[in-house]
Amino acid sequence: MKSRRDFLKCAAVAGVSIGGMGALSSCANSFSTTSSQKKKPNVVVIIADDLGYADMSFLPDAPEDVKKYGTPGFDRLAKTGTYFKNAYGTSPICSPSRTGLITGRYQQRWGNYWYGDGGLPTRELTIPEHLSKSGFITAKYGKTHHNGGPKEFPTLHGFDEFLGFMFHTWDYIRLSQKDVEAYKAREGFKGNFGCQVVGPLLWAEGQGTKQEEAEKISFEDGFTTEIFTDRACEFIEREKGDKPFYLHVAHNAVHQPTYVVDEKWAKRVGARYVPWDRNADDWDYPYWEPNEERHQKFHKRWGHMGKVDPEGRRCYLANLLALDESVSRILDTLEKTGQRENTLVVFVSDNGGTINTYSINDPLSGFKYMFAEGGLRVPMIVSMPGRLPEGKVNEEAIVSTMDIFPTITSLAGLQTPDNLDGMSLLPVLKGKRKKQHEWLAWAQSRNSWVIRKGKWKLTNNVGWKHKDFRIKENGDVVEADKPYKYPNSPQLFNLEEDIGETTNLIDEHPKLAKQLRELYEAWDSQMAGRMDSTGQPRKNP
């Protein structure tokens, strides 16, 4: 496997800047590719961050602005695979849900319920770890956030190389150490970036490499969505001998700060674009100025809708279209190298779209952070032309991102760990079985939870209230007349007849509610309760 040093050398020979790895894609033709006739398939898993359930133009519920601009990458992938309407993450927030995906297990089993909980323990097996033992070359580009734990860093849980960041979010364009120094030079900067971080990305090569051993790579005039895509395409084109590969592309798009946009994509949708000048005396929105306020205050206003941004939806669309092009470029590269029919491609979001970035989850109720369908249900596409059905929409099977792990092992003919909570999707994909999971459960704590069995969903202590928005005909965002509310009292919904969760049927079906509560309690008895990343119980479980 070529090292980063080789790639940079290639970029220099090509006469391009090595300030950003985005230039590496220009070297692709210098690397030969292998035949698509392999004993084991390649796997590409693409994870979007906070993608709105409706924000794909092939969907009947896609909003008008998405239909106007189109999402040809998402649409193309759906045409070559199966879109699951009843797909779920394992949490309505990113860190637990990503941990459930990569382990194929309920992350609550080791206390990973919410932010800062549980982490990724040494004993838990991950997808790349398992595949690496079977001869797969593995790589990850993008976001890693598993709430800490002893092997959270990607090269400690099975990846041969990693380029990305270790946080719940990162800036899209301010990716240089010079940006960090510019902030530190501000008199009002108190040594804390708060909830948004700027600066270099981390590069690590070789399994076992620790985070403190990773190299910091600065990018001048870079854009994370393009950087991760460039790197993914170069990896696909790289010579690997006769070994299959597992590629994990974990975008920060379309997570906040979506109000920070790349110029190219801002122009595409007519969104506000303010050039970043690290040497300016004052930074105006969308950039945080520490001489005016702490980032926590800035973030509450712009990251959690303390103030509604009229340009918010257009900025979201700019980052959405960049994400969509990433899917197109990855598919193009697989086809160009003759590897498409031997590559399983899975596209999924980590959780539902968030109200704070003006995503759209229609026809679902709710958003990220909450246990309504809009927080738990995610867009999910599984595609492998020639091996799996194409152009299908599965409306019946209740599936989970935990199913990705056993689906990969089944397709590759590998042994599937017997402790997984996920199930292979192959029988459903191939029409041998109509249903997948009989039931699924979610929990923020032992007393705040949701369970779905068949068409029925029971909730307990999951109330949520937030300022809401609406989009005007001209695309501007304004505050809605009423906030969004999801009741805290126990609720029972028939999702087949009421996907928007408007009618609580708990009084009409007390026996059913009791049965579902007992099912949850049985599930909960197998879980650890909230733990910190060292494995110690939380004081308020």
Side-chain angles (χ1 to χ4, degrees):
M1 183 172 64
K2 302 290 184 181
S3 69
R4 174 181 172 274
R5 203 173 298 107
D6 296 321
F7 299 143
L8 294 179
K9 180 179 179 182
C10 174
V13 170
V16 296
S17 168
I18 60 175
M21 290 190 184
L24 296 178
S25 60
S26 65
C27 305
N29 292 334
S30 68
F31 297 105
S32 61
T33 57
T34 58
S35 168
S36 63
Q37 300 301 317
K38 298 177 180 177
K39 292 182 180 179
K40 295 184 176 65
N42 305 313
V43 180
V44 177
V45 174
I46 305 170
I47 303 180
D49 203 334
D50 296 356
L51 176 62
Y53 184 78
D55 286 327
M56 308 167 94
S57 62
F58 70 87
L59 295 173
D61 291 302
E64 289 303 315
D65 52 11
V66 171
K67 291 179 180 178
K68 172 184 175 181
Y69 294 108
T71 55
F74 301 152
D75 300 1
R76 174 179 168 191
L77 189 61
K79 288 180 180 178
T80 60
T82 298
Y83 170 76
F84 287 94
K85 290 188 68 174
N86 282 276
Y88 289 90
T90 60
S91 171
I93 62 171
C94 59
S95 36
S97 68
R98 289 167 184 263
T99 310
L101 185 156
I102 204 169
T103 60
R105 281 163 48 84
Y106 283 113
Q107 70 281 350
Q108 290 94 345
R109 290 191 179 279
W110 56 92
N112 192 335
Y113 287 71
W114 211 247
Y115 292 119
D117 290 354
L120 183 58
T122 302
R123 67 180 181 275
E124 292 299 325
L125 183 69
T126 67
I127 296 173
E129 207 170 8
H130 191 57
L131 296 183
S132 179
K133 294 176 182 178
S134 299
F136 281 69
I137 294 175
T138 58
K140 177 174 184 177
Y141 309 119
K143 170 178 176 173
T144 295
H145 193 210
H146 297 299
N147 282 337
K151 66 175 191 178
E152 180 181 37
F153 196 67
T155 47
L156 297 180
H157 62 254
F159 286 106
D160 297 319
E161 62 181 67
F162 166 66
L163 176 73
F165 59 92
M166 304 291 295
F167 200 51
H168 75 106
T169 186
W170 209 261
D171 199 83
Y172 285 95
I173 62 174
R174 293 174 291 176
L175 307 171
S176 170
Q177 184 61 31
K178 293 178 181 179
D179 299 321
V180 176
E181 298 305 322
Y183 267 99
K184 289 182 176 180
R186 286 296 206 248
E187 184 177 346
F189 183 76
K190 305 301 181 183
N192 184 355
F193 278 97
C195 295
Q196 178 187 324
V197 180
V198 306
L201 300 175
L202 294 176
W203 162 260
E205 185 175 25
Q207 291 192 34
T209 301
K210 299 178 181 179
Q211 182 171 344
E212 56 268 27
E213 299 171 328
E215 183 179 355
K216 292 183 178 180
I217 306 293
S218 288
F219 292 84
E220 296 294 334
D221 302 318
F223 174 39
T224 53
T225 305
E226 291 182 352
I227 290 169
F228 300 145
T229 306
D230 289 344
R231 192 66 172 167
C233 291
E234 180 280 316
F235 175 81
I236 292 169
E237 294 180 297
R238 192 186 309 174
E239 171 61 57
K240 304 178 188 67
D242 60 354
K243 292 186 176 182
F245 66 79
Y246 173 73
L247 171 62
H248 190 106
V249 186
H251 286 289
N252 53 327
V254 283
H255 193 290
Q256 67 85 15
T258 47
Y259 46 77
V260 174
V261 295
D262 176 75
E263 182 177 14
K264 169 186 172 182
W265 296 102
K267 289 181 177 179
R268 180 76 62 89
V269 299
R272 171 195 59 230
Y273 173 70
V274 179
W276 165 244
D277 180 3
R278 67 171 68 100
N279 298 314
D281 292 334
D282 294 291
W283 296 318
D284 296 323
Y285 182 71
Y287 306 114
W288 165 50
E289 174 53 78
N291 286 340
E292 295 181 0
E293 59 189 350
R294 297 184 65 187
H295 187 268
Q296 286 82 350
K297 186 175 180 180
F298 175 90
H299 178 64
K300 185 176 181 179
R301 182 188 308 119
W302 300 114
H304 282 277
M305 209 185 288
K307 185 175 181 179
V308 172
D309 182 357
E311 288 284 324
R313 176 65 180 179
R314 279 189 284 268
C315 290
Y316 171 89
L317 289 172
N319 283 295
L320 175 73
L321 297 189
L323 172 66
D324 178 76
E325 187 187 62
S326 173
V327 174
S328 290
R329 290 186 54 203
I330 289 172
L331 294 179
D332 286 344
T333 307
L334 288 170
E335 291 176 0
K336 182 175 64 175
T337 57
Q339 300 179 90
R340 181 64 183 98
E341 292 188 354
N342 194 51
T343 301
L344 174 71
V345 178
V346 179
F347 177 86
V348 69
S349 182
D350 55 353
N351 44 248
T354 172
I355 199 169
N356 297 313
T357 60
Y358 311 99
S359 63
I360 306 257
N361 291 329
D362 291 348
L364 309 178
S365 170
F367 299 88
K368 176 187 178 179
Y369 302 115
M370 61 179 305
F371 289 83
E373 291 296 287
L376 297 171
R377 205 182 292 208
V378 296
M380 183 172 177
I381 304 171
V382 179
S383 170
M384 191 174 186
R387 294 281 296 275
L388 298 175
E390 302 180 46
K392 301 294 184 181
V393 176
N394 187 299
E395 300 188 15
E396 184 173 353
I398 299 172
V399 307
S400 168
T401 54
M402 295 185 294
D403 299 335
I404 295 172
F405 194 160
T407 301
I408 293 170
T409 56
S410 297
L411 191 67
L414 304 176
Q415 182 177 358
T416 300
D418 58 12
N419 67 341
L420 299 189
D421 294 304
M423 303 163 57
S424 173
L425 291 166
L426 294 186
V428 171
L429 286 165
K430 295 181 177 181
K432 296 180 179 179
R433 184 175 71 217
K434 289 186 177 181
K435 295 184 178 181
Q436 182 74 347
H437 292 275
E438 182 182 359
W439 58 272
L440 291 171
W442 300 265
Q444 179 179 355
S445 67
R446 299 209 118 136
N447 197 37
S448 179
W449 52 266
V450 165
I451 189 163
R452 176 179 179 179
K453 181 180 181 183
K455 64 183 181 181
W456 296 102
K457 175 181 178 180
L458 180 68
T459 77
N460 189 76
N461 290 340
V462 291
W464 202 79
K465 180 179 179 180
H466 196 284
K467 182 184 294 185
D468 204 354
F469 70 92
R470 64 181 178 87
I471 303 172
K472 298 171 64 176
E473 288 187 6
N474 67 355
D476 287 354
V477 179
V478 294
E479 184 175 346
D481 295 334
K482 297 180 180 180
Y484 180 86
K485 293 182 180 180
Y486 194 77
N488 200 51
S489 56
Q491 300 177 97
L492 179 68
F493 298 114
N494 180 340
L495 294 178
E496 285 186 3
E497 299 178 1
D498 182 23
I499 195 172
E501 300 176 88
T502 62
T503 305
N504 185 1
L505 302 175
I506 197 164
D507 291 336
E508 286 87 342
H509 302 279
K511 290 184 179 180
L512 176 60
K514 182 175 182 292
Q515 292 171 358
L516 291 175
R517 183 176 291 274
E518 290 173 349
L519 183 58
Y520 165 76
E521 291 172 351
W523 176 84
D524 178 64
S525 68
Q526 302 177 45
M527 304 301 130
R530 292 186 66 187
M531 301 282 183
D532 63 23
S533 60
T534 67
Q536 297 300 310
R538 290 284 191 191
K539 292 182 179 179
N540 298 309

